Amino acid sequence: MSWEGVALAQGGLAALLAWWLGLAVWWRAIELVFPSCVLMARGLDLPPSVFLVLFVLFLLVYWSTFRTQVPYYPSGRGAWDAVADALPGDRPLAIADVGSGLGGLVLDLARRRPDSRVDGIELAPLPWFVSRLRAKLSGSRARFVLGDYEALNFGHYDVVFAYLSPAAMAGLWRKAESEMRPGSILLSYEFDIPGRLPDRRIVTTNSKKILYLWQF
């Protein structure tokens, strides 16, 4: 068998395993083409150190994406505006962004709402470090925590924002339903929760994506 055939066979087997494990469709596509991409990269005759650097970089950015099935999704200005408009304005709030990435939303809300406490929690080390650095350099009061949002008590917050992935939404709802206090709000950008109708759907201005809101 040729090397191309070996790569296709390995990719097909990996894709079947991803399907058997119940991973998202896009993971199956990645598993399918990855061995062929590696084979093509070998033809470039790059030094091994390049692959090591890329591996470490991707590891620091995506960390345990294979487990959480939540890749890095930047939300953008449209989502920030929609979240800010959805927040109650009559009182200080405790706000959490679960999977805060590079910290854009958290920093923006901390600037807009100086009366409120805004926390971000991020599992991947490099985005967390960048967000901490951005907060320090800008003098922001925003707080960033390195860790899994599963360890965060949603009951300590008035508002929880999430931009995760379809695979994570059922687990997010179970946690929110068991921990969030009456009067608190769960926000999810782009991804809704199967079987749970939101109280509001907000169309963001620049991307036309939906911000879903559930009132507890």
Side-chain angles (χ1 to χ4, degrees), residues 42-214:
R42 287 185 72 249
L44 299 176
D45 198 26
L46 297 173
S49 57
V50 172
F51 294 97
L52 177 61
V53 169
L54 289 174
F55 172 77
V56 172
L57 178 64
F58 283 124
L59 179 65
L60 292 174
V61 171
Y62 294 103
W63 204 242
S64 61
T65 300
F66 70 93
R67 176 178 63 83
T68 63
Q69 299 189 53
V70 179
Y72 172 62
Y73 286 131
S75 52
R77 177 66 60 180
W80 305 351
D81 292 339
V83 171
D85 292 342
L87 297 179
D90 58 345
R91 65 187 190 276
L93 301 169
I95 306 166
D97 179 1
V98 297
S100 52
L102 299 178
L105 172 68
V106 176
L107 294 169
D108 184 71
L109 290 179
R111 178 183 57 82
R112 298 194 200 207
R113 296 294 300 266
D115 61 324
S116 299
R117 185 180 97 242
V118 189
D119 298 338
I121 183 165
E122 174 58 49
L123 189 60
L126 185 57
W128 166 80
F129 176 77
V130 171
S131 60
R132 283 286 302 270
L133 184 62
R134 292 178 69 188
K136 186 174 182 61
L137 292 176
S138 64
S140 174
R141 295 170 53 251
R143 188 173 72 107
F144 292 96
V145 178
L146 177 64
D148 193 333
Y149 78 86
E150 289 287 351
L152 195 69
N153 188 343
F154 285 2
H156 294 162
Y157 295 93
D158 303 296
V159 179
V160 174
F161 170 83
Y163 187 20
L164 302 177
S165 78
M169 298 312 295
L172 176 69
W173 178 257
R174 286 193 297 270
K175 182 173 176 62
E177 195 173 35
S178 65
E179 295 180 359
M180 296 189 74
R181 305 188 308 264
S184 59
I185 295 171
L186 175 65
L187 297 169
S188 174
Y189 184 54
E190 189 175 351
F191 306 117
D192 63 353
I193 297 172
R196 301 290 178 175
L197 291 176
D199 294 291
R200 289 177 62 191
R201 290 182 176 89
I202 303 166
V203 180
T204 58
T205 53
N206 61 350
S207 66
K208 304 303 181 185
K209 293 179 181 178
I210 306 296
L211 176 68
Y212 298 93
L213 184 152
W214 291 266

